[in-house]
Amino acid sequence: MYNILVVDDEPMICKGVASVLLNSDIAISEIFIAHNGFEALDYIRLDKIDLVLTDIQMDLMNGIELIETIFVENPTIPVIVLSAHGEFEYAQKALRFGVKEYIVKPISPIELVRMTKVLLLERETRLRTLTDATFNHKFSFEDMTSNKNYILNELVSEGINQSEIDEVFSYLGYRFDGPFYCMLVIKLDLTKAGLFEHEISSFRDRNLLKYASLNVIEETLNKWESIVFYSASNSISVVLQFSQEEINNTTRLNQQTMIAQLVHNHLLTFINMKSVIGISRIREGIKSWVEIYKEANEAVHWSDIHKDHNVFYIEDFGQHESPPLIGSNQIKNQIDEDNNSFIHSTIQFIDQNFRQKGLKLQDIADSVFLSPNYLSYLFKKIVGINLWDYVTKLRMEEGKRLILTTDKRRYEISDEIGYESPEHFSKIFKKHFGVSPSEIKN
């Protein structure tokens, strides 16, 4: 049974889409309706959502911003854009963030049902298709010792002269204009993996899993300009390129961490491969590849401290020159103190700003100069609940207090604690307390 979220600021469209889907033969458990991006995020954070259908042009948070946020926080949710004719070019900007399809308004019920079925079934069949294609392919050791891998490893470890760049990349068959680059290093756990999570002991099986992992990563990154290659013994490296326009985009860090999280999720989903991913800073020029390769590898080493985390961005650890050695208690204690300080500052910021309309996870992370990915991990680890659950808890407790101690109307309370819609506030309130705002006052 599937949960589907419909997001549009026109109530009649939401009701129409919901009606069409509920009357189809799709096995739907519940359809949630949100009238802006912020309401949609509440549902995504509080419920298991299998598919999102969203408009682009909406007040408060438009569809593009919503899609970007979804793929930072939960990149596995497929998204369909409901687009007007004039918005099609604008909607294409969301393609890199995993948008699967566009349905042009007015919506054809037949097309809506067909596309919804396709995307819901895709997740169930993709594993089998990819796995069969990968493991039935004849593995060749030459794939891992090719000139391409040798040259790229030489570039990231030893560097290249400016005068050699055109010749080398012409030979490799790549056109990499950049001018900005970021490196991901993906460290694979080859001790136990594959469909049945068998112990991996043979040379052939280890290398077959590396080959399968490379295929999954390349497929995941097919919408980004990237180079994927085998690096250290159990690692695969990725060079991502960014244009000047993308660098000027304030959400570029979201894109880096989202890509890394997406790669991690796909490796785990499709071939049961556990991994740790390090992310470098973005730097200019191909000559910076040596530096960003070192940064990505350094980020990976922080998994020695945070063994229950998977994606590490180097700037989250910028105050430390390198991760502490195992058993180095003095440095380890300092890191624990720093992390507790980050969380203390985060709680202070949330306590002061939870009533703010349009509060975003990125805003909270920016306040303590951490990535949303790492802050969310630290917050759950130290506080014991999800970061956004903490925001919702404060809003609900304040709403309850205002209901019980004031004569303010529901729309006034909703507005005061950061919700645009009193109806949405009531839904979240009932989910949180088990009773509606009117029932709790009686």
Side-chain angles (χ1 to χ4, degrees):
M1 300 292 283
Y2 302 108
N3 289 335
I4 295 175
L5 173 62
V6 181
V7 191
D8 200 301
D9 55 4
E10 297 184 40
M12 291 302 295
I13 289 181
C14 290
K15 290 179 181 178
V17 170
S19 176
V20 168
L21 294 178
L22 287 171
N23 286 296
S24 70
D25 58 353
I26 301 172
I28 293 174
S29 175
E30 189 166 358
I31 292 185
F32 299 93
I33 291 177
H35 298 301
N36 60 64
F38 291 111
E39 290 184 8
L41 290 176
D42 277 331
Y43 286 122
I44 289 167
R45 289 160 177 160
L46 293 171
D47 289 280
K48 176 183 175 292
I49 301 298
D50 298 296
L51 177 72
V52 173
L53 297 101
T54 181
D55 188 17
I56 289 292
Q57 296 287 13
M58 296 182 290
D59 292 333
L60 305 179
M61 176 189 279
N62 66 38
I64 297 294
E65 293 173 311
L66 171 62
I67 291 162
E68 291 178 352
T69 306
I70 288 173
F71 283 94
V72 169
E73 298 186 18
N74 191 345
T76 63
I77 301 176
V79 176
I80 296 175
V81 167
L82 308 173
S83 175
H85 286 284
E87 300 166 2
F88 188 78
E89 183 176 352
Y90 177 45
Q92 283 182 307
K93 294 179 182 179
L95 186 62
R96 283 187 169 183
F97 290 92
V99 168
K100 300 296 184 181
E101 289 292 341
Y102 304 110
I103 297 179
V104 178
K105 297 177 182 177
I107 300 165
S108 161
I110 294 175
E111 178 63 12
L112 174 63
V113 171
R114 185 192 71 80
M115 192 52 60
T116 301
K117 283 183 178 180
V118 166
L119 293 186
L120 290 172
L121 289 174
E122 182 182 88
R123 291 195 300 173
E124 299 175 11
T125 59
R126 192 178 180 196
L127 171 60
R128 182 177 65 254
T129 303
L130 179 61
T131 303
D132 289 347
T134 297
F135 286 94
N136 290 334
H137 191 285
K138 182 179 179 182
F139 170 73
S140 169
F141 184 65
E142 292 179 1
D143 294 331
M144 303 188 68
T145 57
S146 65
N147 286 343
K148 166 191 166 183
N149 285 289
Y150 174 82
I151 292 170
L152 289 170
N153 275 282
E154 182 80 7
L155 289 179
V156 300
S157 59
E158 302 298 332
I160 187 172
N161 290 328
Q162 188 69 36
S163 60
E164 299 173 312
I165 290 176
D166 289 342
E167 180 183 358
V168 169
F169 278 86
S170 175
Y171 173 78
L172 290 173
Y174 292 120
R175 179 177 177 83
F176 239 43
D177 297 323
F180 298 94
Y181 302 94
C182 171
M183 184 81 72
L184 308 183
V185 169
I186 302 147
K187 182 180 178 182
L188 306 173
D189 180 0
L190 294 172
T191 58
K192 187 181 289 187
L195 292 179
F196 304 105
E197 204 172 3
H198 290 155
E199 297 284 345
I200 306 301
S201 57
S202 75
F203 172 84
R204 184 184 184 282
D205 286 348
R206 282 196 304 273
N207 286 285
L208 181 58
L209 281 166
K210 291 179 192 177
Y211 178 75
S213 299
L214 188 82
N215 284 353
V216 171
I217 294 166
E218 287 181 334
E219 181 178 330
T220 301
L221 297 176
N222 62 11
K223 295 185 179 117
W224 286 272
E225 292 291 335
S226 62
I227 296 177
V228 184
F229 59 98
Y230 300 106
S231 45
S233 58
N234 291 342
S235 296
I236 293 174
S237 294
V238 177
V239 181
L240 297 166
Q241 74 164 337
F242 298 93
S243 65
Q244 183 68 60
E245 181 183 4
E246 288 171 312
I247 287 296
N248 294 337
N249 183 350
T250 57
T251 64
R252 69 182 184 278
L253 174 58
N254 287 357
Q255 189 171 154
Q256 292 163 254
T257 54
M258 182 274 288
I259 291 170
Q261 192 63 56
L262 201 59
V263 167
H264 175 267
N265 290 347
H266 282 185
L267 285 171
L268 199 58
T269 299
F270 298 141
I271 56 173
N272 201 21
M273 172 63 71
K274 299 179 181 67
S275 64
V276 172
I277 302 179
I279 310 171
S280 77
R281 296 174 177 88
I282 293 178
R283 297 192 183 276
E284 187 172 6
I286 291 175
K287 294 185 71 174
S288 71
W289 285 17
V290 173
E291 188 172 5
I292 61 176
Y293 181 63
K294 288 179 180 177
E295 288 181 351
N297 274 294
E298 180 183 323
V300 166
H301 290 315
W302 282 92
S303 62
D304 294 337
I305 298 300
H306 302 294
K307 296 182 184 297
D308 53 347
H309 194 45
N310 307 106
V311 175
F312 297 88
Y313 174 52
I314 188 63
E315 286 206 341
D316 286 329
F317 312 96
Q319 59 185 309
H320 305 288
E321 292 184 3
S322 60
L325 299 174
I326 299 298
S328 181
N329 290 329
Q330 183 176 356
I331 301 176
K332 175 73 163 58
N333 291 339
Q334 179 61 49
I335 290 170
D336 289 341
E337 288 179 18
D338 291 342
N339 289 340
N340 285 324
S341 176
F342 282 133
I343 298 308
H344 178 71
S345 298
T346 300
I347 290 174
Q348 281 188 319
F349 179 84
I350 295 172
D351 289 350
Q352 294 167 5
N353 294 277
F354 73 88
R355 300 175 185 83
Q356 175 186 321
K357 290 182 181 178
L359 182 65
K360 299 177 183 177
L361 179 58
Q362 185 70 54
D363 299 330
I364 300 171
D366 285 346
S367 74
V368 290
F369 306 102
L370 292 179
S371 68
N373 174 280
Y374 185 61
L375 177 60
S376 297
Y377 159 74
L378 279 183
F379 196 95
K380 177 68 180 292
K381 183 176 183 178
I382 295 172
V383 180
I385 64 172
N386 291 330
L387 189 153
W388 203 259
D389 287 344
Y390 181 75
V391 174
T392 302
K393 179 174 177 286
L394 291 185
R395 287 177 168 178
M396 293 300 102
E397 289 177 349
E398 178 65 4
K400 180 180 178 181
R401 185 188 71 80
L402 292 171
I403 290 169
L404 295 176
T405 62
T406 73
D407 292 326
K408 291 185 177 181
R409 297 178 181 273
R410 186 180 56 149
Y411 74 86
E412 293 175 307
I413 295 173
S414 170
D415 185 73
E416 188 167 327
I417 63 172
Y419 291 109
E420 287 286 341
S421 161
E423 291 77 19
H424 184 65
F425 160 62
S426 296
K427 289 178 184 177
I428 303 300
F429 190 94
K430 185 166 185 178
K431 186 172 184 65
H432 188 80
F433 290 113
V435 293
S436 67
S438 58
E439 290 172 326
I440 205 167
K441 194 165 187 176
N442 295 332

